[in-house]
Amino acid sequence: MSDLLLPPEHRYAKIIEQSRNEDGSEFSILNLGPTHPATHGIFQNILLMDGERILDAEPTVGYIHRAFEKIAENRPFYQINVLTDRMNYCSSPINNMAWWMTVEKLLNIEVPKRAQYLRVIVMELARITDHLICNSILGVDTGAYTGFLYVFQFREKVYEIYEEICGARLTTNMGRIGGFERDWSPKAFELLNTFLEEFPVAWKEFENLFERNRIFIDRTVNVGPITAEKAMQYGLTGPNLRAAGIDYDVRVAQPYSSYEDFEFTVPVGKSGDTYDRFCVRNAEVWESLSIIRQALAKLPEGPIHADVPDYYLPPKEDVYTNMEALIYHFKIVMGEVPVPVDEIYHAVEGGNGELGFYLITDGSRTPYRLKFRRPCYIYYQAYTEMIKGGMLSDAIVILSSLNVIAGELDA
Amino acid sequence: MALETAYIQENLSKKFGNNVLNFEMKRDIFSFEATSETIHEVIQTLKEDESLNFHFLTDLTGIHFPDNDDDHQFAVVYQLHNWIENVRIRVKTYLPDPAEVATITDLFLCANWMEREAWDFFGINFKGHPQLKRILNMDEMVSFPMRKEFPLEDSGRTDKDDRFFGRTPVKSQMDNSTL
């Protein structure tokens, strides 16, 4: 009896005790995680197994919970931004921009078109890296390491673009209330153009490597399917929902940051299985590339931030040379800027679903309550149902295809 | 025809009378309150009434208002979304301390973890929840950390006292200040 792992009163322990077979065989318990290489993050699943078949699962989360919402209640707006990019570190700029847009909505700030377009570019780059990691890791979990190594270099290239824009690579902390700190340098555009030339070739090869690969198809088709109705019930959003056949995309439903100016389609799947999720992400990467090209082609000239000195943190060179800028700098850093009493919800299409910020302010320098609607946290509940009845090896690929980011799951 | 806020208000008021109140447009989201006795039915109506069709639970969370009167100490906020008409709605229910409200896990499967999170952080009891236990914090914990009475840092610390940095303390800290 597997009482080494669970206390005897645990429901699995009871099930094992009651279902001892005549031939002496019994169900067993397997801990998938918390630090299993295939979980890609720290969360645990206690699996009830009949041989290699999964009968039930009990997920345990919270291993890296950092109380971001409580911390946010004690910080002014600028200091909250560094919390957001640590949630989904695969696509940090999307989280950054989502937070700035929430604050701008609260303060009624109109962002100039150029800044909006630049935001779109950086958000789509982030989406590409997010999908790139998810799909290449799914390849690794099915035994194909090559694809991962091949496309992973392009994540580094995107990081070089981030570095050129804001100085950071992973936890970007990009932007300001009202736009960007400074305009992008010519080198940033140069790197972006090189990326747009080189990456599609590699991505096409990556697709070819997997989409008609017999082993990959055997491992993913009809594995972990979820119906459209169940997906809605479980709160799935993003590519996981679209793979089930529902074309809900926040960029289309409630456009933000000028997404209405760009033409793109929302790829949808049919069966909601692991293969569909993979294909939807692949297709979304092409759409993202198309959006970036359109944004670059139509990029307007003009200011890169709104004229809101009360909220826009001045550039450092101004702070050192201009008295006004120094005063605003201190007022903003100390959180002594006027904040209206209000209640808003703002959502963006994150790398893996609807990322929402529900913000309540009471006029003080910090939020009264800030709730992060973290897509991973909400849809990870569906994982138990998706792996029930499948093999252990299926549980691994389903987890990969869901793209659960531990930092976002726990926040 | 798009789903009008007046229609939502009329429909719900007709069915629930004074149990739904304070309808207002808060920025881009139509918001209102429902009493804790009727909140389950209200959300069921919002979901199942074909003319309303709020079939997606975007978010559920708790809020603590220690400054409010005894009957309004906690709020549970439900954010619903009708994808067909693309309309969002926000429903709140206020609760006394100890807070207790009916679960909506029978209506939305995703409410399960959201309610567990609200229990974990605020101690709001969701009656009928299948597995109401802590989810992000450890099981042995006794406090509900998102309540305002629990400071972020040790209250004995003086090196981070806001007064020494020329900052105005947060309103909730001023009220409970022991300084």
Side-chain angles (χ1 to χ4, degrees):
Chain A
M1 166 74 205
S2 310
D3 55 1
L4 287 172
L5 299 168
L6 290 172
E9 68 272 13
H10 191 277
R11 61 192 173 99
Y12 288 175
K14 286 179 189 160
I15 292 170
I16 292 171
E17 192 59 46
Q18 288 161 4
S19 61
R20 193 182 291 269
N21 297 331
E22 283 179 5
D23 61 357
S25 64
E26 60 178 25
F27 296 156
S28 57
I29 285 167
L30 185 74
N31 272 285
L32 179 61
T35 51
H36 192 281
T39 55
H40 309 298
I42 308 174
F43 36 93
Q44 178 192 29
N45 275 284
I46 305 169
L47 307 178
L48 179 65
M49 310 284 296
D50 178 11
E52 216 175 318
R53 195 163 290 282
I54 298 165
L55 299 178
D56 201 2
E58 193 174 290
T60 315
V61 300
Y63 284 97
I64 60 163
H65 171 56
R66 294 152 292 177
F68 277 173
E69 287 173 12
K70 186 76 178 176
I71 297 172
E73 280 182 12
N74 290 271
R75 286 187 175 191
F77 293 152
Y78 269 105
Q79 294 174 11
I80 291 169
N81 192 43
V82 295
L83 305 175
T84 61
D85 49 47
R86 278 152 180 82
M87 286 200 298
N88 189 339
Y89 37 77
C90 293
S91 51
S92 323
I94 297 184
N95 295 36
N96 290 160
M97 299 306 155
W99 170 242
W100 296 136
M101 281 185 260
T102 309
V103 177
E104 283 152 10
K105 196 172 181 179
L106 174 83
L107 301 170
N108 282 321
I109 294 173
E110 181 67 34
V111 179
K113 271 281 180 198
R114 183 176 176 84
Q116 290 189 9
Y117 277 39
L118 291 176
R119 280 181 175 181
V120 166
I121 293 172
V122 80
M123 281 192 283
E124 292 309 318
L125 277 176
R127 195 180 318 284
I128 289 171
T129 55
D130 199 295
H131 290 354
L132 179 152
I133 296 165
C134 175
N135 275 1
S136 61
I137 292 283
L138 178 58
V140 173
D141 286 338
T142 56
Y145 201 53
T146 316
F148 169 71
L149 289 177
Y150 190 47
V151 295
F152 207 66
Q153 57 177 317
F154 288 96
R155 191 181 85 148
E156 292 305 304
K157 296 203 168 164
V158 174
Y159 278 6
E160 278 166 22
I161 300 171
Y162 293 166
E163 196 177 4
E164 191 56 35
I165 296 167
C166 74
R169 291 163 65 85
L170 185 68
T171 47
T172 50
N173 190 16
M174 197 184 284
R176 290 280 191 274
I177 296 172
F180 283 90
E181 185 210 355
R182 68 196 98 169
D183 208 342
W184 293 9
S185 65
K187 193 182 170 195
F189 288 104
E190 219 171 273
L191 288 168
L192 185 59
N193 285 328
T194 315
F195 175 80
L196 290 175
E197 273 170 34
E198 293 174 0
F199 176 67
V201 182
W203 194 248
K204 190 72 212 159
E205 284 187 73
F206 177 81
E207 277 189 339
N208 292 343
L209 186 64
F210 286 101
E211 284 194 346
R212 290 176 61 77
N213 181 313
R214 182 57 196 264
I215 299 169
F216 187 75
I217 287 172
D218 282 354
R219 289 291 306 275
T220 54
V221 171
N222 285 331
V223 170
I226 189 158
T227 62
E229 196 188 340
K230 273 275 167 165
M232 279 201 293
Q233 277 278 315
Y234 273 114
L236 262 66
T237 43
N240 296 331
L241 174 81
R242 292 192 281 273
I246 299 177
D247 64 343
Y248 174 67
D249 188 320
V250 186
R251 291 174 294 176
V252 177
Q254 286 168 337
Y256 49 89
S257 200
S258 295
Y259 266 106
E260 65 276 10
D261 293 359
F262 307 110
E263 280 181 22
F264 59 99
T265 54
V266 180
V268 288
K270 281 180 187 155
S271 60
D273 62 8
T274 302
Y275 184 75
D276 268 3
R277 284 190 282 275
F278 178 85
C279 291
V280 164
R281 284 200 174 86
N282 274 352
E284 277 191 21
V285 166
W286 292 112
E287 295 301 324
S288 292
L289 286 168
S290 153
I291 293 171
I292 293 174
R293 286 201 188 94
Q294 291 176 49
L296 276 176
K298 292 198 276 188
L299 190 65
E301 291 298 322
I304 42 94
H305 67 85
D307 185 20
V308 280
D310 274 345
Y311 304 103
Y312 176 78
L313 200 62
K316 265 285 180 283
E317 56 267 28
D318 290 354
V319 174
Y320 292 139
T321 54
N322 181 327
M323 194 61 204
E324 287 284 302
L326 181 69
I327 292 168
Y328 280 122
H329 174 87
F330 271 110
K331 277 173 77 81
I332 292 166
V333 170
M334 290 300 189
E336 294 292 345
V337 290
V339 174
V341 179
D342 213 329
E343 181 177 0
I344 54 164
Y345 176 80
H346 182 72
V348 302
E349 183 68 30
N352 43 21
E354 177 175 331
L355 173 74
F357 291 82
Y358 174 48
L359 174 67
I360 301 177
T361 49
D362 63 348
S364 66
R365 68 189 175 94
T366 61
Y368 186 80
R369 173 94 175 95
L370 175 60
K371 172 73 169 50
F372 300 115
R373 188 220 186 255
R374 316 180 303 274
C376 285
Y377 176 78
I378 292 166
Y379 69 61
Y380 185 54
Q381 298 173 71
Y383 181 61
T384 303
E385 187 163 323
M386 289 160 91
I387 62 171
K388 266 188 199 174
M391 309 292 276
L392 179 62
S393 54
D394 295 341
I396 305 293
V397 292
I398 295 167
L399 186 59
S400 275
S401 72
L402 277 177
N403 194 18
V404 182
I405 310 289
E408 189 178 281
L409 185 73
D410 292 349
Chain B
M1 194 185 82
L3 186 57
E4 300 287 342
T5 52
Y7 175 77
I8 302 171
Q9 180 171 352
E10 190 188 331
N11 193 321
L12 292 171
S13 297
K14 203 188 288 177
K15 193 165 178 188
F16 297 103
N18 293 333
N19 286 314
V20 284
L21 59 159
N22 292 343
F23 290 90
E24 61 175 323
M25 199 69 196
K26 282 226 169 164
R27 293 296 182 102
D28 48 348
I29 298 183
F30 190 56
S31 311
F32 65 94
E33 290 169 29
T35 56
S36 58
E37 295 81 28
T38 52
I39 186 72
H40 184 277
E41 271 184 82
V42 169
I43 291 177
Q44 191 163 13
T45 306
L46 285 169
K47 185 191 175 200
E48 290 171 5
D49 187 323
E50 282 177 10
S51 61
L52 298 173
N53 198 19
F54 286 94
H55 57 270
F56 188 77
L57 179 69
T58 302
D59 197 23
L60 183 163
T61 187
I63 313 170
H64 187 203
F65 296 105
D67 300 339
N68 281 4
D69 61 59
D70 288 348
D71 290 338
H72 294 74
Q73 284 289 298
F74 291 94
V76 179
V77 186
Y78 306 84
Q79 318 237 26
L80 299 155
H81 196 173
N82 173 342
W83 285 346
I84 313 291
E85 302 283 351
N86 197 16
V87 177
R88 289 182 193 272
I89 199 167
R90 183 186 295 134
V91 191
K92 267 190 208 157
T93 183
Y94 284 92
L95 307 166
D97 191 9
E100 196 174 72
V101 68
T103 179
I104 56 160
T105 44
D106 53 332
L107 302 174
F108 297 98
L109 289 170
C110 59
N112 189 322
W113 281 20
M114 297 182 191
E115 289 181 354
R116 277 179 69 184
E117 193 183 15
W119 159 255
D120 190 358
F121 288 122
F122 294 93
I124 296 166
N125 182 22
F126 291 89
K127 283 182 290 183
H129 189 285
Q131 195 192 16
L132 197 63
K133 61 173 193 173
R134 288 192 181 274
I135 185 159
L136 289 173
N137 291 307
M138 56 186 186
D139 293 338
E140 296 77 23
M141 203 161 158
V142 289
S143 59
F144 298 110
M146 285 295 283
R147 290 188 179 191
K148 294 285 181 190
E149 66 256 33
F150 296 105
L152 182 66
E153 295 186 59
D154 178 5
S155 54
R157 278 183 82 156
T158 52
D159 58 330
K160 286 197 171 179
D161 190 333
D162 272 344
R163 291 175 306 167
F164 301 148
F165 295 93
R167 296 178 188 148
T168 319
V170 181
K171 188 168 172 287
S172 58
Q173 288 173 351
M174 279 197 288
D175 297 342
N176 300 324
S177 175
T178 53
L179 296 168

